[in-house]
Amino acid sequence: MSSTRLLPLLLVAASAPHPVRHPATPTCLARHDGVALSSVSVFDGPTSEHADLVPDGSRTIRGVEVSTWDVAYVYQAGRQVYASCRYGASDVVVPVRHPVKTCRYTVAPAAQTLTCR
């Protein structure tokens, strides 16, 4: 195929929509107002609906506990994931606005975090 015939194909490919990727920032930070994260809950919808999800998997890798939730179906159904981050005696509720596939809760000796991506 000549380069002049290939150019329109390249232009079409370059203009095709690409999925928007959002950076993997922690949904629940290791600390909030100086207090360490102590636990998390992941919800299918607002926390007031009490639809907290059970992790789809849990394992320990070299002393680090990891729990994962597969949550893509929540967004596919037109709903949204919410995370409840417990710091001491208070909860911080975080709506996960952008569609994600997985939430991962990591409990390491130094810190705990929840990251949804």
Side-chain angles (χ1 to χ4, degrees):
M1 184 179 281
S2 73
S3 61
T4 56
R5 291 182 63 196
L6 186 58
L7 184 59
L9 292 175
L10 291 173
L11 291 175
V12 169
S15 64
H18 296 286
V20 176
R21 291 194 162 239
H22 299 281
T25 56
T27 303
C28 295
L29 300 173
R31 300 187 77 72
H32 177 73
D33 289 339
V35 180
L37 179 66
S38 58
S39 66
V40 302
S41 295
V42 177
F43 291 84
D44 176 345
T47 57
S48 61
E49 295 177 2
H50 306 289
D52 52 327
L53 303 174
V54 175
D56 292 295
S58 296
R59 60 188 174 164
T60 302
I61 305 167
R62 292 187 295 273
V64 176
E65 294 178 44
V66 178
S67 297
T68 56
W69 290 261
D70 298 321
V71 295
Y73 72 93
V74 174
Y75 296 95
Q76 291 166 354
R79 298 185 307 271
Q80 183 177 329
V81 169
Y82 287 74
S84 178
C85 315
R86 176 155 292 258
Y87 299 94
S90 63
D91 292 312
V92 176
V93 176
V94 180
V96 183
R97 299 189 194 287
H98 302 290
V100 297
K101 293 181 181 179
T102 305
C103 291
R104 179 180 168 140
Y105 179 44
T106 304
V107 180
Q112 301 179 35
T113 59
L114 175 73
T115 303
C116 297
R117 62 169 96 192

mmCIF file of all heavy atoms in Angstrom, residues 25-78:
data_model
loop_
_atom_site.group_PDB
_atom_site.id
_atom_site.type_symbol
_atom_site.label_atom_id
_atom_site.label_comp_id
_atom_site.label_asym_id
_atom_site.label_seq_id
_atom_site.Cartn_x
_atom_site.Cartn_y
_atom_site.Cartn_z
ATOM 1 N N THR A 25 -5.265 7.287 41.857
ATOM 2 C CA THR A 25 -4.960 7.965 43.112
ATOM 3 C C THR A 25 -5.727 7.246 44.208
ATOM 4 O O THR A 25 -6.812 6.713 43.961
ATOM 5 C CB THR A 25 -5.375 9.448 43.061
ATOM 6 O OG1 THR A 25 -6.753 9.522 42.739
ATOM 7 C CG2 THR A 25 -4.576 10.210 42.024
ATOM 8 N N PRO A 26 -5.183 7.206 45.389
ATOM 9 C CA PRO A 26 -5.893 6.517 46.465
ATOM 10 C C PRO A 26 -7.282 7.109 46.697
ATOM 11 O O PRO A 26 -7.454 8.320 46.726
ATOM 12 C CB PRO A 26 -4.998 6.720 47.683
ATOM 13 C CG PRO A 26 -3.644 6.956 47.117
ATOM 14 C CD PRO A 26 -3.877 7.691 45.827
ATOM 15 N N THR A 27 -8.260 6.236 46.829
ATOM 16 C CA THR A 27 -9.619 6.655 47.140
ATOM 17 C C THR A 27 -9.717 6.965 48.627
ATOM 18 O O THR A 27 -10.330 7.942 49.026
ATOM 19 C CB THR A 27 -10.606 5.545 46.735
ATOM 20 O OG1 THR A 27 -10.407 5.272 45.351
ATOM 21 C CG2 THR A 27 -12.040 5.961 46.965
ATOM 22 N N CYS A 28 -9.097 6.112 49.437
ATOM 23 C CA CYS A 28 -8.981 6.353 50.877
ATOM 24 C C CYS A 28 -7.498 6.519 51.171
ATOM 25 O O CYS A 28 -6.711 5.588 50.981
ATOM 26 C CB CYS A 28 -9.521 5.178 51.691
ATOM 27 S SG CYS A 28 -11.288 4.885 51.518
ATOM 28 N N LEU A 29 -7.125 7.704 51.616
ATOM 29 C CA LEU A 29 -5.723 7.975 51.928
ATOM 30 C C LEU A 29 -5.300 7.257 53.195
ATOM 31 O O LEU A 29 -6.132 6.913 54.043
ATOM 32 C CB LEU A 29 -5.521 9.479 52.099
ATOM 33 C CG LEU A 29 -5.869 10.340 50.882
ATOM 34 C CD1 LEU A 29 -5.790 11.816 51.241
ATOM 35 C CD2 LEU A 29 -4.937 10.020 49.731
ATOM 36 N N ALA A 30 -4.011 7.056 53.356
ATOM 37 C CA ALA A 30 -3.475 6.373 54.530
ATOM 38 C C ALA A 30 -3.769 7.146 55.817
ATOM 39 O O ALA A 30 -3.940 6.552 56.880
ATOM 40 C CB ALA A 30 -1.974 6.150 54.377
ATOM 41 N N ARG A 31 -3.839 8.481 55.716
ATOM 42 C CA ARG A 31 -4.115 9.327 56.880
ATOM 43 C C ARG A 31 -5.084 10.441 56.487
ATOM 44 O O ARG A 31 -5.051 10.924 55.369
ATOM 45 C CB ARG A 31 -2.836 9.933 57.436
ATOM 46 C CG ARG A 31 -1.813 8.878 57.887
ATOM 47 C CD ARG A 31 -0.617 9.482 58.583
ATOM 48 N NE ARG A 31 -0.867 9.876 59.955
ATOM 49 C CZ ARG A 31 -1.039 9.054 60.983
ATOM 50 N NH1 ARG A 31 -1.013 7.768 60.798
ATOM 51 N NH2 ARG A 31 -1.240 9.518 62.196
ATOM 52 N N HIS A 32 -5.908 10.841 57.453
ATOM 53 C CA HIS A 32 -6.834 11.956 57.262
ATOM 54 C C HIS A 32 -6.862 12.754 58.560
ATOM 55 O O HIS A 32 -7.159 12.196 59.625
ATOM 56 C CB HIS A 32 -8.231 11.433 56.911
ATOM 57 C CG HIS A 32 -9.254 12.508 56.772
ATOM 58 N ND1 HIS A 32 -9.286 13.361 55.697
ATOM 59 C CD2 HIS A 32 -10.278 12.871 57.586
ATOM 60 C CE1 HIS A 32 -10.293 14.203 55.841
ATOM 61 N NE2 HIS A 32 -10.910 13.920 56.974
ATOM 62 N N ASP A 33 -6.539 14.032 58.474
ATOM 63 C CA ASP A 33 -6.474 14.891 59.664
ATOM 64 C C ASP A 33 -5.597 14.282 60.756
ATOM 65 O O ASP A 33 -5.924 14.331 61.943
ATOM 66 C CB ASP A 33 -7.878 15.184 60.212
ATOM 67 C CG ASP A 33 -8.676 16.112 59.303
ATOM 68 O OD1 ASP A 33 -8.057 16.833 58.486
ATOM 69 O OD2 ASP A 33 -9.918 16.126 59.422
ATOM 70 N N GLY A 34 -4.506 13.644 60.334
ATOM 71 C CA GLY A 34 -3.549 13.079 61.283
ATOM 72 C C GLY A 34 -3.919 11.719 61.844
ATOM 73 O O GLY A 34 -3.184 11.153 62.654
ATOM 74 N N VAL A 35 -5.048 11.162 61.443
ATOM 75 C CA VAL A 35 -5.509 9.863 61.953
ATOM 76 C C VAL A 35 -5.333 8.813 60.857
ATOM 77 O O VAL A 35 -5.681 9.051 59.702
ATOM 78 C CB VAL A 35 -6.986 9.939 62.394
ATOM 79 C CG1 VAL A 35 -7.471 8.595 62.911
ATOM 80 C CG2 VAL A 35 -7.178 11.022 63.434
ATOM 81 N N ALA A 36 -4.816 7.645 61.247
ATOM 82 C CA ALA A 36 -4.563 6.566 60.285
ATOM 83 C C ALA A 36 -5.865 5.893 59.856
ATOM 84 O O ALA A 36 -6.809 5.763 60.637
ATOM 85 C CB ALA A 36 -3.626 5.527 60.892
ATOM 86 N N LEU A 37 -5.889 5.468 58.593
ATOM 87 C CA LEU A 37 -7.009 4.688 58.060
ATOM 88 C C LEU A 37 -7.062 3.361 58.804
ATOM 89 O O LEU A 37 -6.054 2.676 58.953
ATOM 90 C CB LEU A 37 -6.795 4.450 56.561
ATOM 91 C CG LEU A 37 -7.841 3.625 55.829
ATOM 92 C CD1 LEU A 37 -9.182 4.356 55.804
ATOM 93 C CD2 LEU A 37 -7.373 3.346 54.403
ATOM 94 N N SER A 38 -8.261 2.989 59.291
ATOM 95 C CA SER A 38 -8.370 1.736 60.044
ATOM 96 C C SER A 38 -9.190 0.674 59.333
ATOM 97 O O SER A 38 -8.995 -0.515 59.564
ATOM 98 C CB SER A 38 -8.953 1.996 61.431
ATOM 99 O OG SER A 38 -10.220 2.606 61.326
ATOM 100 N N SER A 39 -10.121 1.079 58.441
ATOM 101 C CA SER A 39 -10.889 0.100 57.677
ATOM 102 C C SER A 39 -11.605 0.809 56.535
ATOM 103 O O SER A 39 -11.711 2.042 56.523
ATOM 104 C CB SER A 39 -11.897 -0.635 58.560
ATOM 105 O OG SER A 39 -12.892 0.261 59.014
ATOM 106 N N VAL A 40 -12.096 0.007 55.589
ATOM 107 C CA VAL A 40 -12.854 0.560 54.463
ATOM 108 C C VAL A 40 -14.061 -0.324 54.179
ATOM 109 O O VAL A 40 -14.073 -1.503 54.525
ATOM 110 C CB VAL A 40 -12.005 0.683 53.168
ATOM 111 C CG1 VAL A 40 -10.796 1.556 53.389
ATOM 112 C CG2 VAL A 40 -11.622 -0.665 52.633
ATOM 113 N N SER A 41 -15.053 0.282 53.551
ATOM 114 C CA SER A 41 -16.190 -0.449 53.000
ATOM 115 C C SER A 41 -16.436 0.098 51.611
ATOM 116 O O SER A 41 -16.281 1.294 51.374
ATOM 117 C CB SER A 41 -17.442 -0.263 53.859
ATOM 118 O OG SER A 41 -17.261 -0.830 55.141
ATOM 119 N N VAL A 42 -16.825 -0.779 50.692
ATOM 120 C CA VAL A 42 -17.123 -0.387 49.317
ATOM 121 C C VAL A 42 -18.607 -0.646 49.090
ATOM 122 O O VAL A 42 -19.115 -1.718 49.429
ATOM 123 C CB VAL A 42 -16.248 -1.182 48.317
ATOM 124 C CG1 VAL A 42 -16.608 -0.839 46.887
ATOM 125 C CG2 VAL A 42 -14.768 -0.909 48.581
ATOM 126 N N PHE A 43 -19.299 0.345 48.505
ATOM 127 C CA PHE A 43 -20.748 0.287 48.356
ATOM 128 C C PHE A 43 -21.175 0.383 46.901
ATOM 129 O O PHE A 43 -20.581 1.118 46.116
ATOM 130 C CB PHE A 43 -21.407 1.444 49.119
ATOM 131 C CG PHE A 43 -21.291 1.324 50.606
ATOM 132 C CD1 PHE A 43 -20.150 1.764 51.260
ATOM 133 C CD2 PHE A 43 -22.327 0.786 51.357
ATOM 134 C CE1 PHE A 43 -20.039 1.665 52.637
ATOM 135 C CE2 PHE A 43 -22.226 0.683 52.736
ATOM 136 C CZ PHE A 43 -21.076 1.120 53.375
ATOM 137 N N ASP A 44 -22.240 -0.327 46.573
ATOM 138 C CA ASP A 44 -22.924 -0.213 45.287
ATOM 139 C C ASP A 44 -24.007 0.836 45.490
ATOM 140 O O ASP A 44 -25.108 0.534 45.934
ATOM 141 C CB ASP A 44 -23.516 -1.565 44.895
ATOM 142 C CG ASP A 44 -24.333 -1.522 43.608
ATOM 143 O OD1 ASP A 44 -24.687 -0.415 43.144
ATOM 144 O OD2 ASP A 44 -24.647 -2.595 43.080
ATOM 145 N N GLY A 45 -23.677 2.089 45.223
ATOM 146 C CA GLY A 45 -24.596 3.192 45.451
ATOM 147 C C GLY A 45 -24.273 3.909 46.747
ATOM 148 O O GLY A 45 -23.331 3.545 47.454
ATOM 149 N N PRO A 46 -25.048 4.943 47.074
ATOM 150 C CA PRO A 46 -24.802 5.730 48.280
ATOM 151 C C PRO A 46 -24.806 4.854 49.533
ATOM 152 O O PRO A 46 -25.540 3.867 49.609
ATOM 153 C CB PRO A 46 -25.964 6.723 48.305
ATOM 154 C CG PRO A 46 -26.435 6.805 46.893
ATOM 155 C CD PRO A 46 -26.193 5.438 46.303
ATOM 156 N N THR A 47 -24.003 5.240 50.510
ATOM 157 C CA THR A 47 -23.897 4.448 51.743
ATOM 158 C C THR A 47 -25.234 4.367 52.477
ATOM 159 O O THR A 47 -25.489 3.394 53.183
ATOM 160 C CB THR A 47 -22.819 5.033 52.671
ATOM 161 O OG1 THR A 47 -23.138 6.409 52.952
ATOM 162 C CG2 THR A 47 -21.450 4.968 52.032
ATOM 163 N N SER A 48 -26.099 5.347 52.274
ATOM 164 C CA SER A 48 -27.414 5.339 52.943
ATOM 165 C C SER A 48 -28.283 4.174 52.481
ATOM 166 O O SER A 48 -29.235 3.789 53.171
ATOM 167 C CB SER A 48 -28.140 6.664 52.687
ATOM 168 O OG SER A 48 -28.349 6.847 51.298
ATOM 169 N N GLU A 49 -27.956 3.577 51.338
ATOM 170 C CA GLU A 49 -28.705 2.427 50.838
ATOM 171 C C GLU A 49 -28.212 1.105 51.448
ATOM 172 O O GLU A 49 -28.804 0.057 51.215
ATOM 173 C CB GLU A 49 -28.633 2.372 49.311
ATOM 174 C CG GLU A 49 -29.309 3.552 48.647
ATOM 175 C CD GLU A 49 -29.182 3.546 47.136
ATOM 176 O OE1 GLU A 49 -28.597 2.597 46.565
ATOM 177 O OE2 GLU A 49 -29.676 4.508 46.514
ATOM 178 N N HIS A 50 -27.117 1.146 52.179
ATOM 179 C CA HIS A 50 -26.569 -0.016 52.902
ATOM 180 C C HIS A 50 -26.237 -1.204 52.002
ATOM 181 O O HIS A 50 -26.359 -2.354 52.417
ATOM 182 C CB HIS A 50 -27.519 -0.463 54.017
ATOM 183 C CG HIS A 50 -27.873 0.633 54.960
ATOM 184 N ND1 HIS A 50 -26.975 1.164 55.865
ATOM 185 C CD2 HIS A 50 -29.020 1.351 55.115
ATOM 186 C CE1 HIS A 50 -27.548 2.129 56.546
ATOM 187 N NE2 HIS A 50 -28.799 2.270 56.112
ATOM 188 N N ALA A 51 -25.822 -0.955 50.773
ATOM 189 C CA ALA A 51 -25.466 -2.036 49.838
ATOM 190 C C ALA A 51 -23.948 -2.205 49.822
ATOM 191 O O ALA A 51 -23.290 -2.043 48.799
ATOM 192 C CB ALA A 51 -25.992 -1.728 48.443
ATOM 193 N N ASP A 52 -23.393 -2.536 51.010
ATOM 194 C CA ASP A 52 -21.949 -2.723 51.058
ATOM 195 C C ASP A 52 -21.582 -4.060 50.438
ATOM 196 O O ASP A 52 -22.282 -5.052 50.576
ATOM 197 C CB ASP A 52 -21.384 -2.558 52.466
ATOM 198 C CG ASP A 52 -22.092 -3.392 53.510
ATOM 199 O OD1 ASP A 52 -23.311 -3.611 53.380
ATOM 200 O OD2 ASP A 52 -21.421 -3.834 54.454
ATOM 201 N N LEU A 53 -20.478 -4.044 49.712
ATOM 202 C CA LEU A 53 -20.055 -5.196 48.925
ATOM 203 C C LEU A 53 -19.016 -6.024 49.674
ATOM 204 O O LEU A 53 -18.181 -5.489 50.401
ATOM 205 C CB LEU A 53 -19.463 -4.719 47.592
ATOM 206 C CG LEU A 53 -20.384 -3.849 46.738
ATOM 207 C CD1 LEU A 53 -19.628 -3.312 45.523
ATOM 208 C CD2 LEU A 53 -21.611 -4.632 46.309
ATOM 209 N N VAL A 54 -19.075 -7.319 49.470
ATOM 210 C CA VAL A 54 -18.087 -8.246 50.023
ATOM 211 C C VAL A 54 -16.935 -8.323 49.020
ATOM 212 O O VAL A 54 -17.169 -8.364 47.811
ATOM 213 C CB VAL A 54 -18.722 -9.644 50.221
ATOM 214 C CG1 VAL A 54 -17.701 -10.659 50.683
ATOM 215 C CG2 VAL A 54 -19.889 -9.551 51.183
ATOM 216 N N PRO A 55 -15.690 -8.320 49.497
ATOM 217 C CA PRO A 55 -14.573 -8.424 48.541
ATOM 218 C C PRO A 55 -14.695 -9.682 47.678
ATOM 219 O O PRO A 55 -15.146 -10.730 48.146
ATOM 220 C CB PRO A 55 -13.336 -8.505 49.438
ATOM 221 C CG PRO A 55 -13.762 -7.906 50.737
ATOM 222 C CD PRO A 55 -15.220 -8.229 50.874
ATOM 223 N N ASP A 56 -14.299 -9.548 46.417
ATOM 224 C CA ASP A 56 -14.293 -10.698 45.506
ATOM 225 C C ASP A 56 -13.078 -11.579 45.728
ATOM 226 O O ASP A 56 -13.066 -12.733 45.319
ATOM 227 C CB ASP A 56 -14.327 -10.213 44.050
ATOM 228 C CG ASP A 56 -15.660 -9.571 43.731
ATOM 229 O OD1 ASP A 56 -16.676 -10.281 43.745
ATOM 230 O OD2 ASP A 56 -15.685 -8.346 43.488
ATOM 231 N N GLY A 57 -12.073 -11.035 46.368
ATOM 232 C CA GLY A 57 -10.881 -11.819 46.648
ATOM 233 C C GLY A 57 -10.066 -11.189 47.754
ATOM 234 O O GLY A 57 -10.082 -9.968 47.934
ATOM 235 N N SER A 58 -9.385 -12.030 48.518
ATOM 236 C CA SER A 58 -8.485 -11.573 49.578
ATOM 237 C C SER A 58 -7.296 -12.518 49.619
ATOM 238 O O SER A 58 -7.456 -13.735 49.444
ATOM 239 C CB SER A 58 -9.175 -11.585 50.943
ATOM 240 O OG SER A 58 -10.241 -10.672 50.964
ATOM 241 N N ARG A 59 -6.124 -11.933 49.848
ATOM 242 C CA ARG A 59 -4.916 -12.757 49.952
ATOM 243 C C ARG A 59 -3.860 -11.989 50.714
ATOM 244 O O ARG A 59 -3.954 -10.768 50.888
ATOM 245 C CB ARG A 59 -4.410 -13.157 48.581
ATOM 246 C CG ARG A 59 -4.049 -11.979 47.714
ATOM 247 C CD ARG A 59 -3.724 -12.373 46.311
ATOM 248 N NE ARG A 59 -3.548 -11.135 45.552
ATOM 249 C CZ ARG A 59 -2.983 -11.058 44.401
ATOM 250 N NH1 ARG A 59 -2.537 -12.134 43.818
ATOM 251 N NH2 ARG A 59 -2.841 -9.916 43.785
ATOM 252 N N THR A 60 -2.858 -12.701 51.171
ATOM 253 C CA THR A 60 -1.728 -12.093 51.858
ATOM 254 C C THR A 60 -0.481 -12.371 51.039
ATOM 255 O O THR A 60 -0.207 -13.520 50.688
ATOM 256 C CB THR A 60 -1.569 -12.666 53.284
ATOM 257 O OG1 THR A 60 -2.788 -12.422 53.994
ATOM 258 C CG2 THR A 60 -0.410 -12.015 54.009
ATOM 259 N N ILE A 61 0.240 -11.300 50.722
ATOM 260 C CA ILE A 61 1.463 -11.408 49.934
ATOM 261 C C ILE A 61 2.590 -10.787 50.747
ATOM 262 O O ILE A 61 2.578 -9.584 51.008
ATOM 263 C CB ILE A 61 1.325 -10.661 48.586
ATOM 264 C CG1 ILE A 61 0.106 -11.167 47.819
ATOM 265 C CG2 ILE A 61 2.591 -10.785 47.763
ATOM 266 C CD1 ILE A 61 -0.286 -10.291 46.649
ATOM 267 N N ARG A 62 3.533 -11.596 51.183
ATOM 268 C CA ARG A 62 4.681 -11.138 51.967
ATOM 269 C C ARG A 62 4.264 -10.217 53.114
ATOM 270 O O ARG A 62 4.797 -9.123 53.277
ATOM 271 C CB ARG A 62 5.718 -10.465 51.070
ATOM 272 C CG ARG A 62 6.394 -11.440 50.110
ATOM 273 C CD ARG A 62 7.540 -10.810 49.351
ATOM 274 N NE ARG A 62 7.142 -9.743 48.448
ATOM 275 C CZ ARG A 62 6.746 -9.915 47.188
ATOM 276 N NH1 ARG A 62 6.680 -11.108 46.674
ATOM 277 N NH2 ARG A 62 6.435 -8.881 46.441
ATOM 278 N N GLY A 63 3.286 -10.630 53.865
ATOM 279 C CA GLY A 63 2.854 -9.878 55.032
ATOM 280 C C GLY A 63 1.912 -8.720 54.744
ATOM 281 O O GLY A 63 1.523 -7.997 55.656
ATOM 282 N N VAL A 64 1.530 -8.525 53.485
ATOM 283 C CA VAL A 64 0.613 -7.448 53.113
ATOM 284 C C VAL A 64 -0.727 -8.068 52.723
ATOM 285 O O VAL A 64 -0.788 -8.910 51.830
ATOM 286 C CB VAL A 64 1.171 -6.612 51.938
ATOM 287 C CG1 VAL A 64 0.172 -5.557 51.506
ATOM 288 C CG2 VAL A 64 2.504 -5.978 52.318
ATOM 289 N N GLU A 65 -1.792 -7.671 53.422
ATOM 290 C CA GLU A 65 -3.123 -8.177 53.104
ATOM 291 C C GLU A 65 -3.718 -7.334 51.984
ATOM 292 O O GLU A 65 -3.668 -6.101 52.035
ATOM 293 C CB GLU A 65 -4.027 -8.091 54.326
ATOM 294 C CG GLU A 65 -3.609 -8.999 55.463
ATOM 295 C CD GLU A 65 -4.510 -8.837 56.671
ATOM 296 O OE1 GLU A 65 -5.751 -8.779 56.485
ATOM 297 O OE2 GLU A 65 -3.980 -8.760 57.781
ATOM 298 N N VAL A 66 -4.291 -8.008 50.982
ATOM 299 C CA VAL A 66 -4.890 -7.318 49.835
ATOM 300 C C VAL A 66 -6.289 -7.876 49.610
ATOM 301 O O VAL A 66 -6.472 -9.091 49.484
ATOM 302 C CB VAL A 66 -4.033 -7.507 48.560
ATOM 303 C CG1 VAL A 66 -4.692 -6.831 47.372
ATOM 304 C CG2 VAL A 66 -2.625 -6.976 48.770
ATOM 305 N N SER A 67 -7.277 -6.981 49.585
ATOM 306 C CA SER A 67 -8.651 -7.357 49.256
ATOM 307 C C SER A 67 -9.047 -6.598 48.002
ATOM 308 O O SER A 67 -8.706 -5.421 47.847
ATOM 309 C CB SER A 67 -9.607 -6.993 50.398
ATOM 310 O OG SER A 67 -9.277 -7.710 51.567
ATOM 311 N N THR A 68 -9.785 -7.275 47.106
ATOM 312 C CA THR A 68 -10.189 -6.629 45.861
ATOM 313 C C THR A 68 -11.694 -6.791 45.634
ATOM 314 O O THR A 68 -12.278 -7.812 45.998
ATOM 315 C CB THR A 68 -9.439 -7.203 44.645
ATOM 316 O OG1 THR A 68 -9.638 -8.616 44.606
ATOM 317 C CG2 THR A 68 -7.953 -6.900 44.714
ATOM 318 N N TRP A 69 -12.268 -5.759 45.039
ATOM 319 C CA TRP A 69 -13.661 -5.752 44.638
ATOM 320 C C TRP A 69 -13.696 -5.505 43.140
ATOM 321 O O TRP A 69 -13.093 -4.545 42.658
ATOM 322 C CB TRP A 69 -14.428 -4.621 45.313
ATOM 323 C CG TRP A 69 -14.663 -4.756 46.777
ATOM 324 C CD1 TRP A 69 -15.796 -5.195 47.396
ATOM 325 C CD2 TRP A 69 -13.766 -4.387 47.831
ATOM 326 N NE1 TRP A 69 -15.655 -5.137 48.751
ATOM 327 C CE2 TRP A 69 -14.406 -4.646 49.051
ATOM 328 C CE3 TRP A 69 -12.459 -3.875 47.870
ATOM 329 C CZ2 TRP A 69 -13.815 -4.405 50.283
ATOM 330 C CZ3 TRP A 69 -11.862 -3.641 49.089
ATOM 331 C CH2 TRP A 69 -12.541 -3.905 50.276
ATOM 332 N N ASP A 70 -14.396 -6.347 42.397
ATOM 333 C CA ASP A 70 -14.616 -6.121 40.967
ATOM 334 C C ASP A 70 -15.923 -5.330 40.859
ATOM 335 O O ASP A 70 -16.990 -5.860 41.172
ATOM 336 C CB ASP A 70 -14.722 -7.448 40.212
ATOM 337 C CG ASP A 70 -13.446 -8.267 40.316
ATOM 338 O OD1 ASP A 70 -12.356 -7.664 40.255
ATOM 339 O OD2 ASP A 70 -13.536 -9.496 40.471
ATOM 340 N N VAL A 71 -15.821 -4.075 40.418
ATOM 341 C CA VAL A 71 -16.981 -3.185 40.483
ATOM 342 C C VAL A 71 -17.437 -2.635 39.130
ATOM 343 O O VAL A 71 -18.333 -1.790 39.090
ATOM 344 C CB VAL A 71 -16.712 -2.014 41.455
ATOM 345 C CG1 VAL A 71 -16.540 -2.522 42.881
ATOM 346 C CG2 VAL A 71 -15.495 -1.203 41.010
ATOM 347 N N ALA A 72 -16.881 -3.111 38.042
ATOM 348 C CA ALA A 72 -17.262 -2.587 36.714
ATOM 349 C C ALA A 72 -18.761 -2.710 36.481
ATOM 350 O O ALA A 72 -19.384 -1.822 35.888
ATOM 351 C CB ALA A 72 -16.475 -3.299 35.616
ATOM 352 N N TYR A 73 -19.375 -3.792 36.961
ATOM 353 C CA TYR A 73 -20.805 -4.026 36.738
ATOM 354 C C TYR A 73 -21.670 -2.937 37.362
ATOM 355 O O TYR A 73 -22.775 -2.661 36.887
ATOM 356 C CB TYR A 73 -21.220 -5.399 37.275
ATOM 357 C CG TYR A 73 -21.261 -5.471 38.783
ATOM 358 C CD1 TYR A 73 -22.441 -5.223 39.480
ATOM 359 C CD2 TYR A 73 -20.112 -5.776 39.518
ATOM 360 C CE1 TYR A 73 -22.481 -5.277 40.870
ATOM 361 C CE2 TYR A 73 -20.144 -5.834 40.902
ATOM 362 C CZ TYR A 73 -21.322 -5.583 41.571
ATOM 363 O OH TYR A 73 -21.353 -5.629 42.939
ATOM 364 N N VAL A 74 -21.185 -2.294 38.422
ATOM 365 C CA VAL A 74 -21.953 -1.233 39.071
ATOM 366 C C VAL A 74 -22.172 -0.084 38.089
ATOM 367 O O VAL A 74 -23.290 0.413 37.930
ATOM 368 C CB VAL A 74 -21.237 -0.738 40.350
ATOM 369 C CG1 VAL A 74 -21.962 0.458 40.954
ATOM 370 C CG2 VAL A 74 -21.117 -1.868 41.374
ATOM 371 N N TYR A 75 -21.107 0.317 37.408
ATOM 372 C CA TYR A 75 -21.200 1.414 36.436
ATOM 373 C C TYR A 75 -21.969 0.981 35.186
ATOM 374 O O TYR A 75 -22.719 1.766 34.622
ATOM 375 C CB TYR A 75 -19.806 1.921 36.067
ATOM 376 C CG TYR A 75 -19.106 2.521 37.262
ATOM 377 C CD1 TYR A 75 -18.243 1.765 38.040
ATOM 378 C CD2 TYR A 75 -19.347 3.844 37.633
ATOM 379 C CE1 TYR A 75 -17.634 2.304 39.149
ATOM 380 C CE2 TYR A 75 -18.734 4.389 38.745
ATOM 381 C CZ TYR A 75 -17.878 3.617 39.507
ATOM 382 O OH TYR A 75 -17.282 4.152 40.614
ATOM 383 N N GLN A 76 -21.790 -0.277 34.777
ATOM 384 C CA GLN A 76 -22.507 -0.786 33.610
ATOM 385 C C GLN A 76 -24.012 -0.770 33.845
ATOM 386 O O GLN A 76 -24.803 -0.642 32.911
ATOM 387 C CB GLN A 76 -22.020 -2.187 33.256
ATOM 388 C CG GLN A 76 -20.609 -2.195 32.723
ATOM 389 C CD GLN A 76 -19.995 -3.592 32.679
ATOM 390 O OE1 GLN A 76 -20.581 -4.563 33.145
ATOM 391 N NE2 GLN A 76 -18.794 -3.678 32.126
ATOM 392 N N ALA A 77 -24.416 -0.879 35.102
ATOM 393 C CA ALA A 77 -25.841 -0.849 35.453
ATOM 394 C C ALA A 77 -26.337 0.577 35.684
ATOM 395 O O ALA A 77 -27.488 0.769 36.079
ATOM 396 C CB ALA A 77 -26.086 -1.696 36.699
ATOM 397 N N GLY A 78 -25.459 1.561 35.462
ATOM 398 C CA GLY A 78 -25.860 2.957 35.616
ATOM 399 C C GLY A 78 -25.779 3.479 37.039
ATOM 400 O O GLY A 78 -26.331 4.535 37.347
#
